[in-house]
Amino acid sequence: MRTPTHSRPEAARGFTLIELLGVILIMSILIGLAAVALKDSSPASKREQGARQLAAALQQARVEAITISGRTAVVFAGPGAGGVEGAGVTYGIFRLQEGVEDPVAGEMIGRWRTLPGGTVFSQRDDLGAPNLLTEMQDQLEVTMPEGAVVTLPCVILSPEGRVISPQGQANWALAIATGGVQGGVVQEAAGDVATLERVLLRRSTGRARRLP
């Protein structure tokens, strides 16, 4: 007489080793994605992103000047541009009209750019080189994204790609700080200069690079 066998119900079976490894792999991927997203949203990461974008924009203005054999300008709505929409976080690149002594804005190159959320241009003067935002000598009349016509300070590059305004220094620095804009007032978070991301601009070559 055969002894009856009893099979376990399908729902009662445990996970196989392959199934457990698959679950562990999926969880590892999800944890990795969450870590990357958290890093990208950190204040330090946003400052670094802003500095890289700013250095790239300055380099683009230089290349454009050389390409068209004409002057270009990078305009900044810095912290000192009180009452201007986008003050403290906005900048743009323009070709300049030729044949006139004073700088006159021509065609805009691309669109207005803004720093990553939670960051602003710093006005500190302990950057290792003069702060470009406080050194600019020329201004340009431009139309802001919301349509307002304003006059803002600018850096001007020659057809050879060199910085011709401002003058008087070999190098300048721009810095990105953690901060925000409250009621039109730019508020920079307090902190050591080591918490800033800096971009160095050379007058003789017009080259810009993020400082490590």
Side-chain angles (χ1 to χ4, degrees):
M1 181 175 179
R2 297 177 61 187
T3 303
T5 59
H6 301 281
S7 61
R8 295 176 64 189
E10 190 73 21
R13 289 182 182 175
F15 290 107
T16 66
L17 178 60
I18 293 178
E19 290 171 332
L20 287 174
L21 289 175
V23 171
I24 293 172
L25 177 61
I26 292 173
M27 291 180 63
S28 299
I29 293 173
L30 292 176
I31 292 173
L33 291 174
V36 170
L38 183 61
K39 179 179 182 297
D40 288 344
S41 63
S42 69
S45 178
K46 288 183 176 182
R47 292 194 301 268
E48 179 181 341
Q49 179 186 354
R52 291 186 184 278
Q53 291 174 350
L54 178 58
L58 290 166
Q59 285 290 90
Q60 182 183 358
R62 177 181 181 272
V63 171
E64 181 71 17
I66 296 172
T67 300
I68 66 173
S69 295
R71 297 175 303 164
T72 60
V74 183
V75 178
F76 293 90
V84 174
E85 185 72 21
V89 298
T90 306
Y91 57 102
I93 307 172
F94 289 83
R95 296 186 182 97
L96 295 184
Q97 294 183 17
E98 298 300 332
V100 291
E101 183 175 352
D102 294 330
V104 177
E107 179 183 356
M108 188 176 196
I109 301 171
R111 55 180 176 78
W112 285 102
R113 303 134 198 257
T114 57
L115 296 176
T119 62
V120 294
F121 289 118
S122 174
Q123 291 193 96
R124 295 178 62 146
D125 57 5
D126 55 351
L127 305 179
N131 191 326
L132 182 62
L133 289 182
T134 60
E135 293 280 320
M136 288 183 283
Q137 299 160 352
D138 281 295
Q139 294 186 323
L140 207 60
E141 186 178 275
V142 295
T143 302
M144 297 299 289
E146 79 283 1
V149 178
V150 297
T151 301
L152 296 175
C154 64
V155 176
I156 300 177
L157 300 171
S158 74
E160 296 76 32
R162 298 190 299 268
V163 177
I164 55 177
S165 179
Q167 299 177 352
Q169 300 291 341
N171 303 306
W172 294 275
L174 282 160
I176 311 299
T178 296
V181 182
Q182 298 286 340
V185 179
V186 179
Q187 298 180 341
E188 178 181 343
D192 189 81
V193 69
T195 64
L196 303 177
E197 282 286 341
R198 294 172 297 161
V199 173
L200 185 72
L201 178 65
R202 297 192 180 279
R203 178 178 62 82
S204 60
T205 63
R207 296 184 182 276
R209 65 181 179 90
R210 172 180 165 264
L211 293 175

